[in-house]
Amino acid sequence: MAAKQAIDTLTLADARAEHAQLVAEIGHHRALYYQKDAPEISDADYDALERRLAAIEQRFPELAGAHSPTATVGAAPAAGFGKVKHKVPMLSLGNAFEDEDVTDFVASIRRFLVLDETAPLDFVAEPKIDGLSLSIRYEDGQLVQAATRGDGAEGEDVTANVRTIDDIPNTLRGKAPAVLEVRGEVYMRREDFLALNKAQAEKGEKVFANPRNAAAGSLRQLDASITAGRPLRFFAYTWGELSEPLGATQSESRQRLADLGFTISEPSRLCRTADALLDYYHWIGGQRATLPFDIDGVVYKVDRLDLQERLGFRTRTPRWATAHKYPAEKAQTLLKAISIQVGRTGALTPVAELEPITVGGVVVSRATLHNEDEIRRKDVRVGDTVIVQRAGDVIPQIVSVVANLRPADSHPFEFPTHCPACGSLAVRSTAEKADAAAEVVAVESGSPEDGAAMEDAEAPAPEETVAEPDGVVRRCTGGLICPAQAVERLIHFTSRLAFDIEGLGIERMRLFHSQGRIREPADIFTLEKRESERLDRIVTMTGFGKKSVEKLFAAIEARRTIGLDRLIYALGIRQVGEATAKLLARHYLTVDHWRAAMIKAAEERAAQPAERKPELVGESYAELCAIEQIGVGVADDMMAFFREEHNRAVLDRLLAQITVETYQRPTTTGSPVVGKTVVFTGTLETMGRSEAKAKAESLGAKVAGSVSAKTDYVVVGADAGSKATKARELGLTILTEQEWADLISGKTGAPE
Ligand code: IVH
């Protein structure tokens, strides 16, 4: 950049000319930055342009006006893609790895549906394509909107980009349902991926790590003309909202999607038994290397849609389908060091620092070593050559040590007895693995493309992981004084299933925390107020551009209103994962009610001996423990959180900054049993206990395991025992199975 003339020597004419040029230049760079995600100059150079413009306007105020970029500073244009709420959530799939998992999958479906061995049960088996999922909405046969999966509830509007994909019709063939959301996978063929990378390299542009990243990066381009030039394809495999069914079975619906003009995932096969599914799996496995696209497994889906409907969903995955993954890819590399990470609940997790190596198309430089005992069991030592494996979305792991390559002077790893972050004693106690696992994933995520590639990864939620046996995890006892725990809690707070604040990723949070700018959740929401006057200081101290700080402030503002379930999850209370947070939100509905109930329950708990039965501890505590699927262990972790004065203060300071929406119970409008508590007892004739429970919950009822004065309905099957007797004694409403079925189908009104 040529040296600029000093402002105070400029004539008005010079100033006018330079002002016009600067306005044009700034406009150009803003468009590149905000609309194309492709800035040509550094943030610092851009900021220099803005400063020069401001200086000129200060000396010649007549040049400033509403059109000047100086007038629009602070109000960054809406960056990125618009958001789309999915009418039907876009969920993920459960995983099977071993043959036995497939037999279990089939058996559990039979059990749920109470089908005996001889009853027919068909499955469609099809390839699981490794790309990114997309939902495309058609109205009267015309493409009107397309969205990525996002967090499953809300994705990004990529309509303009999707219109450029050849495999995706803009107009459907033949007579289509009035509303049809087609779902499937956007992917890139291997040969197209190689050609794209070659062309990118020749132009000196970014090359992609694998076809999946290339597909994600190409779809998420703010400029649709870039997407148009990329060889994207699409496989249809399911649907979202529909005005009329596509068929009675999965196979009929697939055929219908093909007739409407989509490519469907092939080769597929209709299978009757677990053995037939396994045959298909091995058959496709044999062709895997020669298929034109990458697959990471196969998917099995119950064929009959009425059965799919009865089977329904768990929190994030359907009961009627599963993914059967191919074995992990392995590679050999050097273990350079073992570092210790401290999680948000204080768990010390050993992490292997590796000589970077490509495993299954992704560069791996760190892998989890789980815990102290695991290191001892595998006798992993620094300097060893190790076998690393990576399966699909799963965190890279060390499988074993190559014994004959061990250096002569190696010695066993000594696990620290003190927290590396705060020096407090670290002790062994019961714990769940989840926070450790989530951290290693976090370490691996990098560029936006990588982020998109992780889209389908489902990090284990704490309550979904099995607790390790007593004493396996070593935990820092520093609690609130430990800076590592504090920063991990903040990282969890802004993570995707929690507040999901774009632009406040792991590295930024570490930086803001270390600079003292963000110490607790409320600070995130006061950041702009505290710092905007000193924006220049943030810019120089953090190295972020001014625009990117403005973008961050906008993202924070967008999350000032949040759902109760996300808030509860975000607090990072031990064992309170996504599913538990939803259960709590669903039960207490408003933040005030929930908070008051937790404080009361914590007081009740503290006043009673630990061994006292929950129902005798107090009303609020008993109510919490009575929520189905919330055990005493989870309840006590909640109590431990609320008992701590500091935690309540942190929560209250946060609540002063945000608005928490009342929890909306999904899919229950008009249901006659919303909010009712029901107990099933005895043998039901038409459905199994699990199905009865799942159905009642999907209608907004709470299913309890025991009868109390708060029970609304007791549904009594054959040979009902003491629960029916107790219900009679308490004078509760007792229904036969048929009466219950009539009630939920709306045939009869609610009984008195
Ligand atoms: S069915 C209710 N079928 O795998 C979920 N998914 O790991 C219905 N995927 O999110 C999904 N190939 O993005 C289905 N043939 C296939 C698939 C497939 C790839 C992806 C999809 C899903 C993820 C789950």
Side-chain angles (χ1 to χ4, degrees), residues 91-93 126-129 133 149 185 237 299 301 318 456:
L91 299 167
S92 190
L93 290 169
E126 60 186 31
K128 181 172 186 312
I129 309 110
S133 42
R149 186 172 93 158
E185 204 83 350
Y237 50 66
V299 183
K301 301 175 184 172
D456 290 331

Side-chain angles (χ1 to χ4, degrees), residues 89-95 125-134 149 183-186 212 235-239 250 254 265 296-301 313 316-318 320-323 325 393 455-458:
M90 286 182 82
L91 299 167
S92 190
L93 290 169
N95 288 324
E126 60 186 31
K128 181 172 186 312
I129 309 110
D130 207 5
L132 79 158
S133 42
L134 184 72
R149 186 172 93 158
R183 292 183 175 173
E185 204 83 350
V186 173
R212 181 186 172 148
F235 266 133
Y237 50 66
T238 192
W239 51 89
Q250 186 78 25
R254 278 168 53 86
S265 44
D296 55 349
V298 295
V299 183
Y300 308 137
K301 301 175 184 172
F313 296 86
R316 292 169 76 76
T317 57
W320 47 265
T322 198
K325 298 282 184 77
D393 329 329
E455 177 165 272
D456 290 331
E458 211 170 303

